[in-house]
């Protein structure tokens, strides 16, 4: 099974040793060396270049770079910018989750090959998929200037801010598409998730902290400061992978929707999430689609009630020139760090992406699936393993940046 | 006969494929006119060539990708590059081969055996029949090019620069306002979307025919320093002057 896994972002494969009953995740994506190509570029070019790490979550990279540079330049953006960026983030999460759920993961559960076959198999669900894709693209288009790779955002604010008229129209559209988000969640809640039990650390960002809970006991929390992200999230280089493998305080970690819902707990508990079963990441994505959809509506209402402040905030008088940006991207905690010289040229950059952090737990979960699934043919096991990798929504492209 | 189409992605961000999915209902209509027999990102049931039309996104950065590209050229009647990584080398081409070697050591350590060789456009290795430019591509351009291909025509490149579309969009001119811009030498088709959003044009749609590069450089020298001009020209166009 050395062919690239289909329907995941980027190039990876599972290498299964049936004799030893062992599994390895091989990553073949070509190295682009973003941390190198950023050096010598201007601070203003960082949030322009880093979205090109990933075409599925470019807005998350854009926002994380802006946060890093603004920390380095001692800039605190105004409330309008905060809200518009949160709106971008919510739109980005729906874009990414809907694309993954409908086009990459759902076919596994419904027994079809490609997402567009859903148009025949379940026309109502497909209509919801298109409605969610359309409205989330429109959120990002309106606020960020383009649905893939933002054009309007800048250090300290925005080059351009949407008018209230445009925002009002967007809100009307969102009010109509909310039912599509709810129905998508109903669909995901009714899927038959394969059984699996894995002991993992679920890791999320909360305020200035990194919070970890166990998949078997989400009540006990471990916390550390985001400032120490580089020490606490270690990256291991493996001979069979162009991506590094991340660990939190030395142990396998799972980041993303399932981890966020475990830690934040901000969802309707009638949906029975099993945090020890990574397949439930797909259900968590559907819960987050609805959550982000409602959040987007709320943010626009707030924007409409407030005076839009279009001023771009200038750097502080004595900035440290070193900054860390940390944001919950669709697939989990994303970290950008930047060091600038006095002229605003990038001297050093470091990036840790969500999928880097998930790789160790994908391998661990795949191994657990091999150990726990009995009486299945090799072919059937391969199908389940591929489905598991997909359920994680890995972005191999991000992981090899 | 419904044309057999393959879509491949090499090293890149896959944002141009995301753009392809963003045409939504139109993708369904398109699927009725073509048979997508191979698309790793979209489906599991993938068949080998020959193909009538092969669309390739990304830069062939590893030896595996270079070999696959050569094979795909043999297996395809028409081969099309999708997006700036395939048409120009894209953002990864900011680093040249020598710089890559340095950064491999810094990022991965001394022991690591690099997979990537060099970030070059597809045309560095094979003949490419048409380039769909952009970082990312523009949906309307994509639809126009598909319509022309399906009608049996050879698609045409835009015969004007980004400046033309910038005027149509009523954007204030960056150069008149003292800000660097590569719009004058860059092929149109993007609708001047970056400038509309307040960002510069870095030329991701490639050089337009008969672009007056020398003239623009002279103008830019009056606006900014040599280093900044170099940064603009190496964002997407590092390999555009290779030939």
């Amino acid at each position: 099974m050395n062919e690239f896994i289909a329907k995941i972002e980027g190039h990876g494969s599972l290498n299964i040793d049936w004799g030893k009953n062992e599994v390895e995740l091989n990553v073949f994506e070509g190295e682009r060396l973003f941390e190198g190509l950023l050096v010598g570029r201007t601070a203003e070019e960082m949030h322009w270049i880093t979205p090109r790490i990933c075409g599925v979550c470019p807005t998350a990279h854009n926002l994380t770079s802006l946060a890093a540079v603004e920390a380095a330049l001692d800039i605190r953006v105004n409330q309008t910018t905060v809200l518009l960026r949160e709106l971008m983030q919510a739109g980005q999460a729906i874009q990414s989750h809907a694309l993954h759920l409908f086009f990459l993961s759902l076919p596994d559960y419904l027994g079809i090959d490609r997402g567009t076959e859903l148009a025949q198999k379940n026309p109502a669900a497909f209509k919801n998929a298109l409605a969610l894709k359309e409205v989330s693209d429109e959120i990002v288009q309106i606020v960020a200037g383009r649905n893939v790779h933002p054009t309007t955002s800048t250090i300290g604010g925005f080059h351009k801010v949407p008018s209230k008229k445009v925002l009002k129209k967007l809100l009307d559209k969102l009010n109509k598409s909310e039912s599509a988000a709810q129905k998508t969640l109903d669909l995901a809640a009714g899927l038959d998730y394969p059984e699996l039990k894995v002991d993992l650390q679920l890791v999320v960002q909360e305020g200035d902290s990194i919070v970890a809970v166990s998949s078997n006991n989400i009540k006990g929390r471990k916390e550390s400061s985001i400032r120490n992200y580089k020490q606490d999230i270690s990256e291991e280089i493996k001979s069979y992978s162009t991506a590094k493998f991340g660990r939190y305080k030395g142990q396998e970690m799972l980041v993303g929707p399932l981890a966020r819902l475990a830690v934040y707990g901000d969802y309707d508990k009638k949906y029975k999430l099993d945090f020890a079963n990574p397949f439930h990441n797909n259900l968590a994505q559907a819960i987050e689609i609805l959550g982000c959809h409602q959040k987007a509506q709320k943010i626009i209402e707030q924007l409409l009630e407030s005076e839009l402040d279009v001023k771009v905030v200038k750097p502080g008088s004595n900035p440290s020139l070193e900054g860390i940006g940390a944001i919950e991207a669709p697939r989990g905690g994303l970290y950008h760090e930047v060091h600038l010289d006095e002229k605003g040229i990038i001297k050093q950059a470091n990036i840790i992406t969500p999928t880097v952090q998930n790789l160790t737990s994908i391998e661990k979960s795949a191994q657990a699936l091999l150990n726990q699934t009995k009486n299945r043919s090799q072919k059937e096991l391969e199908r389940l393993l591929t489905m598991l990798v997909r359920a994680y929504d890995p972005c191999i492209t991000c992981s090899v940046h | 006969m419904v044309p057999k189409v393959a879509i491949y992605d090499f090293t890149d961000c896959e944002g141009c494929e995301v753009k392809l999915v963003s045409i939504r209902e139109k993708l369904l209509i398109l699927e009725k006119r073509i048979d997508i027999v191979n698309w790793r990102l979209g489906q599991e049931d993938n068949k080998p060539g020959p193909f009538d039309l092969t669309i390739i996104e990304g830069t062939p950065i590893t030896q595996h990708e270079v070999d696959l590209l050569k094979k795909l050229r043999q297996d395809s009647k028409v081969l099309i590059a999708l997006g700036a990584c395939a048409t120009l080398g894209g953002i990864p081409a900011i680093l040249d081969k020598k710089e890559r070697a340095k950064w491999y050591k810094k990022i991965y350590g001394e022991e690591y055996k690099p997979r990537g060789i060099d970030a070059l456009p597809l045309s560095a290795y094979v003949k490419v029949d048409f380039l769909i430019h952009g970082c990312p591509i523009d949906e309307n351009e994509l639809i126009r090019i598909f319509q022309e291909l399906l009608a049996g025509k050879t698609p045409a490149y835009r015969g004007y620069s980004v400046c033309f579309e910038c005027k149509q969009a009523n954007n204030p001119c960056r150069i008149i306002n003292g800000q660097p811009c590569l719009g004058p030498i860059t092929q149109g088709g993007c609708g001047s979307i970056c400038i509309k959003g307040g960002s510069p044009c870095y030329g991701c749609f490639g050089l337009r025919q008969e672009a007056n590069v020398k003239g623009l450089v002279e103008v830019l020298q009056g606006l900014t320093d040599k280093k900044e001009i170099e940064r603009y020209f190496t964002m997407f166009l590092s390999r555009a002057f290779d030939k």
Side-chain angles (χ1 to χ4, degrees):
Chain A
M1 197 174 154
N2 278 319
E3 293 236 331
F4 297 139
I5 300 170
K7 287 180 283 183
I8 62 168
E9 235 244 314
H11 304 90
S13 78
L14 282 169
N15 191 7
I16 309 163
D17 185 333
W18 295 107
K20 289 187 191 153
N21 207 42
E22 277 174 10
V23 60
E24 241 175 35
L25 181 67
N26 297 8
V27 174
F28 298 101
E29 195 76 25
E31 312 91 340
R32 290 168 297 167
L33 309 169
F34 269 86
E35 283 131 329
L37 61 83
L38 282 168
V39 172
R41 294 270 151 188
T42 63
E44 185 68 27
E45 285 171 338
M46 184 169 181
H47 65 267
W48 207 87
I49 290 176
T50 57
R52 274 77 184 173
I53 290 173
C54 174
V56 181
C57 60
T59 302
H61 283 282
N62 180 260
L63 293 172
T64 312
S65 278
L66 284 167
V69 168
E70 285 164 0
L73 296 176
D74 191 23
I75 291 173
R76 257 158 243 135
V77 294
N78 64 42
Q79 188 58 18
T80 301
T81 297
V82 170
L83 287 172
L84 285 171
R85 287 185 182 170
E86 281 178 6
L87 186 55
M88 275 165 73
Q89 203 180 347
Q92 166 78 96
I94 304 170
Q95 278 181 310
S96 177
H97 287 353
L99 184 74
H100 175 256
L101 205 56
F102 284 103
F103 288 93
L104 307 182
S105 255
L106 205 54
D108 283 333
Y109 295 96
L110 301 180
I112 54 177
D113 184 37
R114 55 178 100 167
T116 48
E117 285 170 31
L118 193 63
Q120 263 102 49
K121 181 104 180 172
N122 189 340
F126 192 71
K127 228 178 114 193
N128 294 332
L130 292 187
L132 289 171
K133 179 86 182 82
E134 183 178 333
V135 80
S136 57
D137 273 352
E138 202 164 315
I139 295 173
V140 179
Q141 172 90 38
I142 285 170
V143 186
R146 181 164 53 197
N147 62 348
V148 174
H149 300 335
T151 64
T152 60
S153 52
T154 184
I155 301 169
F158 285 88
H159 293 302
K160 260 185 195 167
V161 170
S163 69
K164 285 200 176 181
K165 196 177 149 198
V166 170
L167 287 171
K168 176 77 185 59
K169 235 176 107 187
L170 179 59
L171 181 61
D172 291 343
K173 190 161 184 168
L174 276 158
N175 287 340
K176 283 190 196 120
S177 58
E178 190 181 342
S179 66
Q182 181 61 57
K183 283 175 191 152
T184 297
L185 174 51
D186 295 341
L187 174 74
L191 295 176
D192 193 8
Y193 296 96
E195 280 184 30
L196 180 62
K197 202 164 175 56
V198 198
D199 182 15
L200 291 166
Q201 289 190 107
L202 312 178
V203 183
V204 304
Q205 298 170 356
E206 194 175 52
D208 297 326
S209 303
I210 298 173
V211 178
V213 299
S214 155
S215 58
N216 293 318
N217 171 24
I218 61 164
K219 294 276 181 331
R221 291 158 63 104
K222 271 197 287 187
E223 270 185 53
S224 64
S225 170
I226 282 179
R227 255 179 307 156
N228 302 325
Y229 82 100
K230 222 188 208 167
Q231 291 78 48
D232 293 333
I233 303 170
S234 56
E235 294 181 296
E236 191 190 343
I237 293 159
K238 302 212 182 212
S239 61
Y240 54 79
S241 166
T242 52
K244 299 174 182 177
F245 279 53
R247 285 168 180 269
Y248 179 67
K249 295 189 184 263
Q251 281 176 26
E252 296 91 350
M253 60 197 294
L254 179 148
V255 296
L258 193 60
R260 279 194 290 261
L261 294 176
V263 174
Y264 303 155
D266 55 345
Y267 66 99
D268 189 338
K269 302 293 184 307
K270 79 173 181 193
Y271 299 107
K272 296 289 169 224
L273 276 174
D274 180 356
F275 297 108
N277 182 355
F279 283 107
H280 277 231
N281 194 48
N282 291 144
L283 176 54
Q285 285 179 316
I287 294 174
E288 281 200 339
I289 287 176
L290 180 62
C292 289
H293 194 287
Q294 291 166 338
K295 192 177 170 193
Q297 289 161 280
K298 229 176 265 160
I299 295 169
I300 299 174
E301 280 164 9
Q302 272 175 277
L303 283 164
L304 289 173
E305 282 162 17
S306 66
E307 194 79 39
L308 296 183
D309 184 353
V310 298
K311 216 169 66 234
V312 175
V313 182
K314 296 270 172 278
S317 54
N318 190 21
S320 69
L321 300 178
E322 295 185 5
I324 296 167
I327 271 177
E328 278 291 335
R331 295 172 184 77
L334 173 61
Y335 304 84
H336 287 190
E337 184 175 355
V338 67
H339 296 188
L340 303 168
D341 72 10
E342 307 76 49
K343 287 183 179 155
I345 303 292
I346 299 169
K347 287 196 301 186
Q348 200 185 317
N350 189 46
I351 296 161
I352 297 184
T353 63
T355 297
V356 160
Q357 300 163 68
N358 266 336
L359 289 175
T360 45
S361 94
I362 294 178
E363 254 185 5
K364 184 173 179 177
S365 302
Q367 188 63 51
L369 186 72
L370 263 186
N371 298 344
Q372 291 170 24
T373 315
K374 304 285 173 225
N375 307 322
R376 301 278 186 113
S377 66
Q378 283 191 0
K379 204 175 160 212
E380 177 61 9
L381 271 170
E382 277 182 7
R383 191 188 70 82
L384 275 172
L385 284 167
T386 309
M387 187 171 164
L388 172 70
V389 175
R390 247 178 238 138
Y392 266 91
D393 187 11
C395 180
I396 306 280
T397 312
C398 267
S399 73
V400 190
H401 43 270
Chain B
M1 269 285 281
V2 181
K4 283 191 175 137
V5 175
I7 305 171
Y8 277 82
D9 46 53
F10 294 155
T11 295
D12 66 348
C13 81
E14 300 187 4
C16 293
E17 284 174 282
V18 173
K19 278 286 197 183
L20 179 59
V21 179
S22 297
I23 65 174
R24 301 187 304 272
E25 293 86 347
K26 289 180 185 132
L27 182 62
L28 277 186
I29 298 168
L30 190 63
E31 274 197 332
K32 286 183 186 140
R33 305 265 316 265
I34 61 174
D35 186 7
I36 303 176
V37 292
N38 196 314
W39 188 13
R40 185 201 59 84
L41 187 65
Q43 62 203 39
E44 203 146 17
D45 180 19
N46 290 316
K47 295 179 186 72
F51 309 115
D52 295 306
L53 171 64
T54 299
I55 299 163
I56 302 178
E57 185 205 50
T59 159
I61 215 167
T62 65
Q63 189 60 50
H64 171 83
E65 288 170 334
V66 173
D67 295 342
L68 180 59
L69 171 61
K70 289 177 181 164
K71 185 169 183 323
L72 286 171
R73 175 68 272 187
Q74 286 171 4
D75 287 352
S76 313
K77 275 190 207 149
V78 178
L79 189 138
I80 286 182
L82 183 76
C85 290
T87 63
L88 297 166
I91 289 282
I94 287 177
L95 296 179
D96 64 23
K97 221 172 166 175
K98 213 174 115 200
E99 288 168 312
R100 290 186 69 84
K102 180 182 95 183
W103 285 106
Y104 271 121
K105 290 199 169 66
K106 283 202 178 173
I107 295 169
Y108 286 95
E110 297 283 339
E111 303 290 299
Y112 182 77
K113 283 197 191 83
R115 272 50 156 209
I117 303 163
D118 199 3
L120 300 174
L122 304 182
S123 59
Y125 300 101
V126 298
K127 178 177 164 279
V128 180
D129 298 304
F130 193 77
L131 309 172
I132 304 179
H133 283 296
C135 180
I137 54 157
D138 177 87
E139 286 103 327
N140 293 327
E141 272 295 280
L142 182 75
I143 291 163
R144 171 184 78 91
I145 290 158
F146 262 109
Q147 277 170 343
E148 293 188 5
L149 281 169
L150 286 170
K153 290 197 257 179
T154 309
Y157 290 103
R158 295 291 184 188
Y160 48 78
S161 70
V162 172
C163 285
F164 179 74
E165 293 177 335
C166 213
K167 297 285 170 295
Q168 280 184 319
N170 261 326
N171 298 324
C173 176
R174 286 179 60 89
I175 290 182
I176 288 175
N177 289 321
Q179 298 165 302
C181 185
L182 298 189
I185 56 165
T186 304
Q187 199 186 131
C190 60
S192 69
I193 188 162
C194 293
I195 300 163
K196 215 186 271 175
S199 291
C201 171
Y202 290 109
C204 72
F205 266 62
L207 293 177
R208 78 177 188 100
Q209 279 159 358
E210 291 162 32
N212 183 0
V213 178
K214 214 173 134 230
L216 179 66
V217 171
E218 272 168 32
V219 171
L220 293 179
Q221 278 165 347
L223 299 178
T224 185
D225 59 23
K226 215 178 131 197
K227 274 197 167 159
E228 185 160 36
I229 297 172
E230 199 186 305
R231 275 196 300 269
Y232 268 70
F233 274 93
T234 50
M235 189 70 89
F236 290 107
L237 299 174
S238 331
R239 308 284 182 263
F241 302 98
D242 280 357
K243 276 172 249 165

